[in-house]
Amino acid sequence: MGKMKLLKDLIISRRELQDWDSNLTWGRDGSLFLTTYPELTVCEPVFRRDAGRSSKDLFHVKEYPLPLENKLEFEQAEQNIMLNSQPESFVKRCKLSCVDERLAVLTNNGNVCIFHDQTLLAQLDEPQKPLKQRTYHSFAWSPDGKFVILGNEDSELVIFAINRAREGISFTYNSSIRLDHSSTEWVIEIEWKRNIIAVSLSDNSAYVLNYENFQVQPEPHKIKKPSRFKITDVQVVNENVLLVTTGSLHRFNTKTGSASSVSLESCDEFYIIPIESKNCA
């Protein structure tokens, strides 16, 4: 304990953060991405023995501009009138692939783009489909890096396969999974760990899917009914799906199908930190 230092905060030039609860993304090499506006900020690790007394000594901080296009710029959205209220695209959320350095970003215009070293590889889209089916509000990489799954405004999960060839990497539409045929809610959160996909919708309902392979489409299983209480976090911890809503923590065991909940005795917003090695959070 005597050798531990109290490090001061990592100071970043004043920027606007796009999302308070999911604006930090760690890279496999120790890089830290922040969804700042108008450009992403990346903190590259500085490998040195003596970090001084400030976290600033651990990272080299720089802007990370990305070429973002709005595929829906000239579209008229009937159900989502805010879609093009800000014509300039910026990053709302970003996630790095689990197997390499590809970066997926979700923009304010409902686009999902894939980058490698600030080079645009793909803008995921299905131009022939209605607007609400190609406007995305969530996404996740598969754990094996072979798929990207997107959540649209029509209660659907849209899966794109990643194809590797000599000429490079391409992304092609694989399939769609309708979560609820009786509603058109937005899919706002997707968590994918191992073979478990956990999803929450804008009506605060939640689903779980057991993925084996998309040649046999997984059946969505509703684990939480719609509610006026906001879902603030969704996490997968081993075989359990954890949901936290206003005042309650919910658990669903994907192996036994059992569900339980506990009161948090507070109306504050809570978030979940998984500790998978101890099967707890």
Side-chain angles (χ1 to χ4, degrees), residues 114-167:
I114 312 295
F115 292 90
H116 183 264
D117 291 336
Q118 297 176 271
T119 299
L120 179 64
L121 298 179
Q123 182 170 236
L124 305 183
D125 191 18
E126 296 177 88
Q128 75 282 2
K129 290 194 173 180
L131 190 61
K132 63 181 180 179
Q133 293 182 9
R134 48 192 286 255
T135 303
Y136 309 118
H137 295 278
S138 55
F139 68 95
W141 293 96
S142 66
D144 58 9
K146 295 181 179 180
F147 298 94
V148 180
I149 189 167
L150 316 177
N152 66 18
E153 294 185 353
D154 199 27
S155 299
E156 273 187 338
L157 298 177
V158 184
I159 298 98
F160 284 82
I162 303 169
N163 308 296
R164 295 177 175 85
R166 289 183 178 180
E167 56 272 17

Side-chain angles (χ1 to χ4, degrees), residues 85-269:
S85 61
Q86 296 174 297
E88 182 180 353
S89 294
F90 55 84
V91 177
K92 290 189 65 177
R93 188 175 297 188
C94 65
K95 294 180 183 178
L96 282 153
S97 170
C98 304
V99 299
D100 54 32
E101 300 308 314
R102 293 194 305 273
L103 177 71
V105 303
L106 173 69
T107 74
N108 58 306
N109 308 118
N111 301 340
V112 173
C113 304
I114 312 295
F115 292 90
H116 183 264
D117 291 336
Q118 297 176 271
T119 299
L120 179 64
L121 298 179
Q123 182 170 236
L124 305 183
D125 191 18
E126 296 177 88
Q128 75 282 2
K129 290 194 173 180
L131 190 61
K132 63 181 180 179
Q133 293 182 9
R134 48 192 286 255
T135 303
Y136 309 118
H137 295 278
S138 55
F139 68 95
W141 293 96
S142 66
D144 58 9
K146 295 181 179 180
F147 298 94
V148 180
I149 189 167
L150 316 177
N152 66 18
E153 294 185 353
D154 199 27
S155 299
E156 273 187 338
L157 298 177
V158 184
I159 298 98
F160 284 82
I162 303 169
N163 308 296
R164 295 177 175 85
R166 289 183 178 180
E167 56 272 17
I169 295 177
S170 62
F171 295 77
T172 57
Y173 169 79
N174 178 275
S175 59
S176 297
I177 302 172
R178 190 69 184 266
L179 297 171
D180 192 337
H181 291 276
S182 62
S183 71
T184 57
E185 298 294 329
W186 296 9
V187 180
I188 58 175
E189 192 66 51
I190 304 172
E191 283 293 321
W192 190 349
K193 290 185 179 177
R194 295 174 300 281
N195 63 325
I196 299 173
I197 303 172
V199 183
S200 66
L201 275 64
S202 54
D203 62 355
N204 298 312
S205 62
Y207 294 79
V208 65
L209 300 90
N210 195 315
Y211 159 78
E212 296 298 334
N213 62 77
F214 287 125
Q215 294 178 352
V216 179
Q217 193 173 85
E219 184 68 25
H221 180 69
K222 182 181 284 189
I223 60 174
K224 183 181 178 300
K225 296 180 179 179
S227 167
R228 62 188 178 90
F229 297 110
K230 178 184 176 183
I231 295 177
T232 56
D233 201 4
V234 180
Q235 294 290 338
V236 178
V237 183
N238 296 327
E239 72 275 6
N240 295 298
V241 176
L242 301 181
L243 305 168
V244 63
T245 63
T246 305
S248 300
L249 174 67
H250 307 267
R251 180 188 66 86
F252 177 80
N253 188 292
T254 58
K255 286 188 176 180
T256 64
S258 62
S260 61
S261 62
V262 294
S263 172
L264 298 174
E265 299 181 354
S266 172
C267 293
D268 294 335
E269 290 190 356

Side-chain angles (χ1 to χ4, degrees), residues 68-82:
L68 298 172
E69 297 180 0
N70 179 10
K71 70 183 183 187
L72 308 175
E73 184 174 3
F74 300 105
E75 300 282 355
Q76 297 295 323
E78 296 179 359
Q79 295 186 0
N80 183 0
I81 60 174
M82 296 295 291

Side-chain angles (χ1 to χ4, degrees), residues 12 15-18 34-42 62-68 88-91 118:
I12 298 172
R15 295 284 190 278
E16 179 182 348
L17 293 172
Q18 292 308 310
L34 296 91
T35 54
T36 51
Y37 176 85
E39 308 289 356
L40 280 180
T41 297
V42 62
K62 66 178 185 179
E63 291 186 352
Y64 198 77
L66 297 173
L68 298 172
E88 182 180 353
S89 294
F90 55 84
V91 177
Q118 297 176 271

